[in-house]
Amino acid sequence: MTVAVTVAAVIEQGGRFLVVEELDSLDGGRVLNQPAGHVELGESVVAAVAREAFEEAGVQFVPTAVIGIYHLAARNGHDYLRIAFSGQVSDHHTPTPQDKDILACYWLTRAEIEQARPRSGLVLRCIDDYLSGQRLP
């Protein structure tokens, strides 16, 4: 079995989380996700999460802790290992997608994300673990 390694940035300011809106590859519906993506060959996971946050939301993300490591058997038949990071971005920067596949960026509460359509169950699980104070150095 091949497992793809992905990273996600859980970015919170004032009780709102930065999420990106993208299209689901299976049904074309709009979904919300943390800025996230695949680790490229030879890239560290810390560099990957900073790069993905910039590409998907145009923010300079500085990871400070690992929230958790998660396994996902996705609907597309692939397995993913997601490493979720918490960290900081500038308070004065408006998120702007740099990647053409990202439709928009939003600052939403956990409840608003849950009421919308998260890309997978990991989106809320990472937020819940963050809110519970789970951090690894």
PDB file of all heavy atoms in Angstrom, residues 59-88:
ATOM      1  N   VAL A  59      -0.511  33.485   2.471  1.00  0.00           N
ATOM      2  CA  VAL A  59      -0.053  33.927   3.786  1.00  0.00           C
ATOM      3  C   VAL A  59       1.315  33.345   4.098  1.00  0.00           C
ATOM      4  O   VAL A  59       1.655  32.257   3.651  1.00  0.00           O
ATOM      5  CB  VAL A  59      -1.050  33.542   4.912  1.00  0.00           C
ATOM      6  CG1 VAL A  59      -2.382  34.262   4.725  1.00  0.00           C
ATOM      7  CG2 VAL A  59      -1.270  32.040   4.988  1.00  0.00           C
ATOM      8  N   GLN A  60       2.087  34.101   4.864  1.00  0.00           N
ATOM      9  CA  GLN A  60       3.383  33.632   5.350  1.00  0.00           C
ATOM     10  C   GLN A  60       3.129  32.921   6.672  1.00  0.00           C
ATOM     11  O   GLN A  60       2.935  33.559   7.701  1.00  0.00           O
ATOM     12  CB  GLN A  60       4.339  34.810   5.539  1.00  0.00           C
ATOM     13  CG  GLN A  60       4.658  35.559   4.271  1.00  0.00           C
ATOM     14  CD  GLN A  60       5.446  34.728   3.267  1.00  0.00           C
ATOM     15  OE1 GLN A  60       6.263  33.900   3.639  1.00  0.00           O
ATOM     16  NE2 GLN A  60       5.201  34.966   1.995  1.00  0.00           N
ATOM     17  N   PHE A  61       3.073  31.610   6.630  1.00  0.00           N
ATOM     18  CA  PHE A  61       2.758  30.790   7.796  1.00  0.00           C
ATOM     19  C   PHE A  61       4.040  30.329   8.458  1.00  0.00           C
ATOM     20  O   PHE A  61       4.939  29.810   7.803  1.00  0.00           O
ATOM     21  CB  PHE A  61       1.936  29.574   7.352  1.00  0.00           C
ATOM     22  CG  PHE A  61       1.610  28.600   8.442  1.00  0.00           C
ATOM     23  CD1 PHE A  61       0.761  28.948   9.483  1.00  0.00           C
ATOM     24  CD2 PHE A  61       2.129  27.317   8.415  1.00  0.00           C
ATOM     25  CE1 PHE A  61       0.443  28.043  10.479  1.00  0.00           C
ATOM     26  CE2 PHE A  61       1.812  26.390   9.407  1.00  0.00           C
ATOM     27  CZ  PHE A  61       0.969  26.761  10.442  1.00  0.00           C
ATOM     28  N   VAL A  62       4.119  30.536   9.771  1.00  0.00           N
ATOM     29  CA  VAL A  62       5.256  30.078  10.552  1.00  0.00           C
ATOM     30  C   VAL A  62       4.753  28.974  11.480  1.00  0.00           C
ATOM     31  O   VAL A  62       4.061  29.253  12.465  1.00  0.00           O
ATOM     32  CB  VAL A  62       5.879  31.226  11.373  1.00  0.00           C
ATOM     33  CG1 VAL A  62       7.041  30.715  12.214  1.00  0.00           C
ATOM     34  CG2 VAL A  62       6.324  32.356  10.455  1.00  0.00           C
ATOM     35  N   PRO A  63       5.037  27.707  11.160  1.00  0.00           N
ATOM     36  CA  PRO A  63       4.567  26.621  12.015  1.00  0.00           C
ATOM     37  C   PRO A  63       5.298  26.631  13.356  1.00  0.00           C
ATOM     38  O   PRO A  63       6.506  26.876  13.406  1.00  0.00           O
ATOM     39  CB  PRO A  63       4.879  25.359  11.219  1.00  0.00           C
ATOM     40  CG  PRO A  63       5.865  25.754  10.184  1.00  0.00           C
ATOM     41  CD  PRO A  63       5.758  27.235   9.990  1.00  0.00           C
ATOM     42  N   THR A  64       4.535  26.388  14.438  1.00  0.00           N
ATOM     43  CA  THR A  64       5.123  26.397  15.779  1.00  0.00           C
ATOM     44  C   THR A  64       4.975  25.059  16.491  1.00  0.00           C
ATOM     45  O   THR A  64       5.706  24.800  17.443  1.00  0.00           O
ATOM     46  CB  THR A  64       4.504  27.502  16.639  1.00  0.00           C
ATOM     47  OG1 THR A  64       3.087  27.318  16.694  1.00  0.00           O
ATOM     48  CG2 THR A  64       4.824  28.883  16.075  1.00  0.00           C
ATOM     49  N   ALA A  65       4.039  24.225  16.071  1.00  0.00           N
ATOM     50  CA  ALA A  65       3.827  22.929  16.731  1.00  0.00           C
ATOM     51  C   ALA A  65       3.081  21.993  15.798  1.00  0.00           C
ATOM     52  O   ALA A  65       2.381  22.426  14.885  1.00  0.00           O
ATOM     53  CB  ALA A  65       3.029  23.108  18.022  1.00  0.00           C
ATOM     54  N   VAL A  66       3.233  20.715  16.061  1.00  0.00           N
ATOM     55  CA  VAL A  66       2.433  19.692  15.374  1.00  0.00           C
ATOM     56  C   VAL A  66       1.200  19.442  16.232  1.00  0.00           C
ATOM     57  O   VAL A  66       1.308  19.216  17.441  1.00  0.00           O
ATOM     58  CB  VAL A  66       3.244  18.385  15.195  1.00  0.00           C
ATOM     59  CG1 VAL A  66       2.354  17.266  14.668  1.00  0.00           C
ATOM     60  CG2 VAL A  66       4.422  18.608  14.268  1.00  0.00           C
ATOM     61  N   ILE A  67       0.037  19.517  15.623  1.00  0.00           N
ATOM     62  CA  ILE A  67      -1.211  19.209  16.336  1.00  0.00           C
ATOM     63  C   ILE A  67      -1.403  17.705  16.381  1.00  0.00           C
ATOM     64  O   ILE A  67      -1.791  17.141  17.395  1.00  0.00           O
ATOM     65  CB  ILE A  67      -2.409  19.876  15.645  1.00  0.00           C
ATOM     66  CG1 ILE A  67      -2.262  21.390  15.689  1.00  0.00           C
ATOM     67  CG2 ILE A  67      -3.721  19.431  16.292  1.00  0.00           C
ATOM     68  CD1 ILE A  67      -3.240  22.121  14.807  1.00  0.00           C
ATOM     69  N   GLY A  68      -1.150  17.049  15.259  1.00  0.00           N
ATOM     70  CA  GLY A  68      -1.320  15.609  15.223  1.00  0.00           C
ATOM     71  C   GLY A  68      -0.944  15.037  13.879  1.00  0.00           C
ATOM     72  O   GLY A  68      -0.702  15.762  12.907  1.00  0.00           O
ATOM     73  N   ILE A  69      -0.888  13.718  13.847  1.00  0.00           N
ATOM     74  CA  ILE A  69      -0.626  12.966  12.620  1.00  0.00           C
ATOM     75  C   ILE A  69      -1.824  12.052  12.421  1.00  0.00           C
ATOM     76  O   ILE A  69      -2.202  11.309  13.327  1.00  0.00           O
ATOM     77  CB  ILE A  69       0.682  12.162  12.738  1.00  0.00           C
ATOM     78  CG1 ILE A  69       1.854  13.127  13.007  1.00  0.00           C
ATOM     79  CG2 ILE A  69       0.930  11.343  11.474  1.00  0.00           C
ATOM     80  CD1 ILE A  69       3.157  12.446  13.344  1.00  0.00           C
ATOM     81  N   TYR A  70      -2.426  12.115  11.247  1.00  0.00           N
ATOM     82  CA  TYR A  70      -3.719  11.471  10.996  1.00  0.00           C
ATOM     83  C   TYR A  70      -3.652  10.599   9.748  1.00  0.00           C
ATOM     84  O   TYR A  70      -3.034  10.971   8.758  1.00  0.00           O
ATOM     85  CB  TYR A  70      -4.804  12.528  10.795  1.00  0.00           C
ATOM     86  CG  TYR A  70      -4.839  13.563  11.885  1.00  0.00           C
ATOM     87  CD1 TYR A  70      -4.029  14.698  11.828  1.00  0.00           C
ATOM     88  CD2 TYR A  70      -5.669  13.407  12.988  1.00  0.00           C
ATOM     89  CE1 TYR A  70      -4.053  15.651  12.834  1.00  0.00           C
ATOM     90  CE2 TYR A  70      -5.701  14.358  13.998  1.00  0.00           C
ATOM     91  CZ  TYR A  70      -4.888  15.474  13.915  1.00  0.00           C
ATOM     92  OH  TYR A  70      -4.914  16.410  14.918  1.00  0.00           O
ATOM     93  N   HIS A  71      -4.358   9.486   9.787  1.00  0.00           N
ATOM     94  CA  HIS A  71      -4.485   8.621   8.613  1.00  0.00           C
ATOM     95  C   HIS A  71      -5.880   8.825   8.022  1.00  0.00           C
ATOM     96  O   HIS A  71      -6.865   8.898   8.749  1.00  0.00           O
ATOM     97  CB  HIS A  71      -4.297   7.150   8.998  1.00  0.00           C
ATOM     98  CG  HIS A  71      -4.551   6.229   7.844  1.00  0.00           C
ATOM     99  ND1 HIS A  71      -5.722   5.528   7.710  1.00  0.00           N
ATOM    100  CD2 HIS A  71      -3.792   5.931   6.751  1.00  0.00           C
ATOM    101  CE1 HIS A  71      -5.671   4.824   6.589  1.00  0.00           C
ATOM    102  NE2 HIS A  71      -4.519   5.056   5.988  1.00  0.00           N
ATOM    103  N   LEU A  72      -5.943   8.916   6.704  1.00  0.00           N
ATOM    104  CA  LEU A  72      -7.228   9.039   6.014  1.00  0.00           C
ATOM    105  C   LEU A  72      -7.277   8.046   4.865  1.00  0.00           C
ATOM    106  O   LEU A  72      -6.413   8.082   3.975  1.00  0.00           O
ATOM    107  CB  LEU A  72      -7.426  10.459   5.470  1.00  0.00           C
ATOM    108  CG  LEU A  72      -8.681  10.682   4.627  1.00  0.00           C
ATOM    109  CD1 LEU A  72      -9.947  10.557   5.485  1.00  0.00           C
ATOM    110  CD2 LEU A  72      -8.637  12.030   3.929  1.00  0.00           C
ATOM    111  N   ALA A  73      -8.258   7.174   4.882  1.00  0.00           N
ATOM    112  CA  ALA A  73      -8.578   6.334   3.726  1.00  0.00           C
ATOM    113  C   ALA A  73      -9.653   7.118   2.978  1.00  0.00           C
ATOM    114  O   ALA A  73     -10.827   7.114   3.351  1.00  0.00           O
ATOM    115  CB  ALA A  73      -9.085   4.973   4.175  1.00  0.00           C
ATOM    116  N   ALA A  74      -9.246   7.835   1.949  1.00  0.00           N
ATOM    117  CA  ALA A  74     -10.122   8.785   1.269  1.00  0.00           C
ATOM    118  C   ALA A  74     -11.123   8.104   0.334  1.00  0.00           C
ATOM    119  O   ALA A  74     -10.925   6.962  -0.094  1.00  0.00           O
ATOM    120  CB  ALA A  74      -9.273   9.781   0.482  1.00  0.00           C
ATOM    121  N   ARG A  75     -12.167   8.854   0.014  1.00  0.00           N
ATOM    122  CA  ARG A  75     -13.200   8.367  -0.902  1.00  0.00           C
ATOM    123  C   ARG A  75     -12.660   8.062  -2.291  1.00  0.00           C
ATOM    124  O   ARG A  75     -13.241   7.288  -3.034  1.00  0.00           O
ATOM    125  CB  ARG A  75     -14.338   9.399  -1.041  1.00  0.00           C
ATOM    126  CG  ARG A  75     -15.119   9.625   0.234  1.00  0.00           C
ATOM    127  CD  ARG A  75     -16.244  10.659   0.052  1.00  0.00           C
ATOM    128  NE  ARG A  75     -15.721  11.948  -0.374  1.00  0.00           N
ATOM    129  CZ  ARG A  75     -16.133  12.613  -1.467  1.00  0.00           C
ATOM    130  NH1 ARG A  75     -17.078  12.130  -2.227  1.00  0.00           N
ATOM    131  NH2 ARG A  75     -15.606  13.771  -1.776  1.00  0.00           N
ATOM    132  N   ASN A  76     -11.513   8.668  -2.640  1.00  0.00           N
ATOM    133  CA  ASN A  76     -10.938   8.436  -3.971  1.00  0.00           C
ATOM    134  C   ASN A  76     -10.123   7.147  -4.041  1.00  0.00           C
ATOM    135  O   ASN A  76      -9.520   6.844  -5.053  1.00  0.00           O
ATOM    136  CB  ASN A  76     -10.070   9.631  -4.395  1.00  0.00           C
ATOM    137  CG  ASN A  76      -8.840   9.820  -3.518  1.00  0.00           C
ATOM    138  OD1 ASN A  76      -8.537   9.001  -2.651  1.00  0.00           O
ATOM    139  ND2 ASN A  76      -8.145  10.919  -3.740  1.00  0.00           N
ATOM    140  N   GLY A  77     -10.097   6.374  -2.935  1.00  0.00           N
ATOM    141  CA  GLY A  77      -9.390   5.112  -2.916  1.00  0.00           C
ATOM    142  C   GLY A  77      -7.939   5.204  -2.494  1.00  0.00           C
ATOM    143  O   GLY A  77      -7.258   4.190  -2.420  1.00  0.00           O
ATOM    144  N   HIS A  78      -7.453   6.402  -2.203  1.00  0.00           N
ATOM    145  CA  HIS A  78      -6.060   6.598  -1.788  1.00  0.00           C
ATOM    146  C   HIS A  78      -5.976   6.736  -0.275  1.00  0.00           C
ATOM    147  O   HIS A  78      -6.932   7.136   0.380  1.00  0.00           O
ATOM    148  CB  HIS A  78      -5.462   7.843  -2.454  1.00  0.00           C
ATOM    149  CG  HIS A  78      -5.400   7.749  -3.938  1.00  0.00           C
ATOM    150  ND1 HIS A  78      -4.457   7.012  -4.614  1.00  0.00           N
ATOM    151  CD2 HIS A  78      -6.187   8.303  -4.891  1.00  0.00           C
ATOM    152  CE1 HIS A  78      -4.657   7.118  -5.915  1.00  0.00           C
ATOM    153  NE2 HIS A  78      -5.710   7.893  -6.111  1.00  0.00           N
ATOM    154  N   ASP A  79      -4.806   6.418   0.250  1.00  0.00           N
ATOM    155  CA  ASP A  79      -4.528   6.609   1.667  1.00  0.00           C
ATOM    156  C   ASP A  79      -3.587   7.789   1.834  1.00  0.00           C
ATOM    157  O   ASP A  79      -2.629   7.947   1.058  1.00  0.00           O
ATOM    158  CB  ASP A  79      -3.885   5.357   2.265  1.00  0.00           C
ATOM    159  CG  ASP A  79      -4.899   4.275   2.536  1.00  0.00           C
ATOM    160  OD1 ASP A  79      -5.532   4.342   3.597  1.00  0.00           O
ATOM    161  OD2 ASP A  79      -5.065   3.378   1.691  1.00  0.00           O
ATOM    162  N   TYR A  80      -3.865   8.606   2.865  1.00  0.00           N
ATOM    163  CA  TYR A  80      -3.060   9.786   3.139  1.00  0.00           C
ATOM    164  C   TYR A  80      -2.639   9.799   4.597  1.00  0.00           C
ATOM    165  O   TYR A  80      -3.402   9.401   5.479  1.00  0.00           O
ATOM    166  CB  TYR A  80      -3.849  11.064   2.844  1.00  0.00           C
ATOM    167  CG  TYR A  80      -4.268  11.174   1.404  1.00  0.00           C
ATOM    168  CD1 TYR A  80      -5.516  10.724   0.988  1.00  0.00           C
ATOM    169  CD2 TYR A  80      -3.410  11.717   0.459  1.00  0.00           C
ATOM    170  CE1 TYR A  80      -5.906  10.813  -0.341  1.00  0.00           C
ATOM    171  CE2 TYR A  80      -3.788  11.802  -0.879  1.00  0.00           C
ATOM    172  CZ  TYR A  80      -5.035  11.347  -1.265  1.00  0.00           C
ATOM    173  OH  TYR A  80      -5.408  11.435  -2.578  1.00  0.00           O
ATOM    174  N   LEU A  81      -1.443  10.275   4.849  1.00  0.00           N
ATOM    175  CA  LEU A  81      -0.958  10.540   6.188  1.00  0.00           C
ATOM    176  C   LEU A  81      -0.835  12.050   6.284  1.00  0.00           C
ATOM    177  O   LEU A  81      -0.012  12.649   5.586  1.00  0.00           O
ATOM    178  CB  LEU A  81       0.397   9.872   6.424  1.00  0.00           C
ATOM    179  CG  LEU A  81       0.955  10.013   7.828  1.00  0.00           C
ATOM    180  CD1 LEU A  81       0.119   9.184   8.811  1.00  0.00           C
ATOM    181  CD2 LEU A  81       2.403   9.556   7.862  1.00  0.00           C
ATOM    182  N   ARG A  82      -1.682  12.663   7.106  1.00  0.00           N
ATOM    183  CA  ARG A  82      -1.726  14.127   7.222  1.00  0.00           C
ATOM    184  C   ARG A  82      -1.036  14.555   8.503  1.00  0.00           C
ATOM    185  O   ARG A  82      -1.351  14.067   9.582  1.00  0.00           O
ATOM    186  CB  ARG A  82      -3.168  14.613   7.237  1.00  0.00           C
ATOM    187  CG  ARG A  82      -3.296  16.114   7.500  1.00  0.00           C
ATOM    188  CD  ARG A  82      -4.736  16.523   7.679  1.00  0.00           C
ATOM    189  NE  ARG A  82      -5.199  17.178   6.474  1.00  0.00           N
ATOM    190  CZ  ARG A  82      -6.099  18.149   6.473  1.00  0.00           C
ATOM    191  NH1 ARG A  82      -6.672  18.552   7.574  1.00  0.00           N
ATOM    192  NH2 ARG A  82      -6.472  18.696   5.343  1.00  0.00           N
ATOM    193  N   ILE A  83      -0.092  15.482   8.376  1.00  0.00           N
ATOM    194  CA  ILE A  83       0.555  16.086   9.524  1.00  0.00           C
ATOM    195  C   ILE A  83       0.007  17.505   9.626  1.00  0.00           C
ATOM    196  O   ILE A  83       0.202  18.314   8.712  1.00  0.00           O
ATOM    197  CB  ILE A  83       2.087  16.094   9.368  1.00  0.00           C
ATOM    198  CG1 ILE A  83       2.593  14.666   9.116  1.00  0.00           C
ATOM    199  CG2 ILE A  83       2.751  16.715  10.598  1.00  0.00           C
ATOM    200  CD1 ILE A  83       4.037  14.591   8.675  1.00  0.00           C
ATOM    201  N   ALA A  84      -0.715  17.777  10.722  1.00  0.00           N
ATOM    202  CA  ALA A  84      -1.329  19.088  10.907  1.00  0.00           C
ATOM    203  C   ALA A  84      -0.482  19.933  11.847  1.00  0.00           C
ATOM    204  O   ALA A  84      -0.076  19.469  12.916  1.00  0.00           O
ATOM    205  CB  ALA A  84      -2.737  18.937  11.467  1.00  0.00           C
ATOM    206  N   PHE A  85      -0.224  21.159  11.430  1.00  0.00           N
ATOM    207  CA  PHE A  85       0.586  22.102  12.197  1.00  0.00           C
ATOM    208  C   PHE A  85      -0.260  23.282  12.649  1.00  0.00           C
ATOM    209  O   PHE A  85      -1.129  23.754  11.908  1.00  0.00           O
ATOM    210  CB  PHE A  85       1.712  22.678  11.318  1.00  0.00           C
ATOM    211  CG  PHE A  85       2.782  21.701  10.960  1.00  0.00           C
ATOM    212  CD1 PHE A  85       2.639  20.856   9.870  1.00  0.00           C
ATOM    213  CD2 PHE A  85       3.952  21.628  11.704  1.00  0.00           C
ATOM    214  CE1 PHE A  85       3.633  19.958   9.519  1.00  0.00           C
ATOM    215  CE2 PHE A  85       4.955  20.731  11.359  1.00  0.00           C
ATOM    216  CZ  PHE A  85       4.799  19.895  10.267  1.00  0.00           C
ATOM    217  N   SER A  86       0.032  23.797  13.825  1.00  0.00           N
ATOM    218  CA  SER A  86      -0.486  25.098  14.224  1.00  0.00           C
ATOM    219  C   SER A  86       0.642  26.095  14.035  1.00  0.00           C
ATOM    220  O   SER A  86       1.812  25.715  13.919  1.00  0.00           O
ATOM    221  CB  SER A  86      -0.965  25.088  15.682  1.00  0.00           C
ATOM    222  OG  SER A  86       0.109  24.803  16.551  1.00  0.00           O
ATOM    223  N   GLY A  87       0.294  27.367  13.986  1.00  0.00           N
ATOM    224  CA  GLY A  87       1.312  28.385  13.795  1.00  0.00           C
ATOM    225  C   GLY A  87       0.699  29.755  13.662  1.00  0.00           C
ATOM    226  O   GLY A  87      -0.485  29.960  13.966  1.00  0.00           O
ATOM    227  N   GLN A  88       1.485  30.681  13.198  1.00  0.00           N
ATOM    228  CA  GLN A  88       1.092  32.086  13.146  1.00  0.00           C
ATOM    229  C   GLN A  88       1.216  32.658  11.731  1.00  0.00           C
ATOM    230  O   GLN A  88       2.061  32.226  10.959  1.00  0.00           O
ATOM    231  CB  GLN A  88       1.992  32.907  14.078  1.00  0.00           C
ATOM    232  CG  GLN A  88       2.009  32.425  15.504  1.00  0.00           C
ATOM    233  CD  GLN A  88       0.658  32.509  16.177  1.00  0.00           C
ATOM    234  OE1 GLN A  88      -0.076  33.475  16.000  1.00  0.00           O
ATOM    235  NE2 GLN A  88       0.298  31.496  16.939  1.00  0.00           N
TER     236      GLN A  88
END
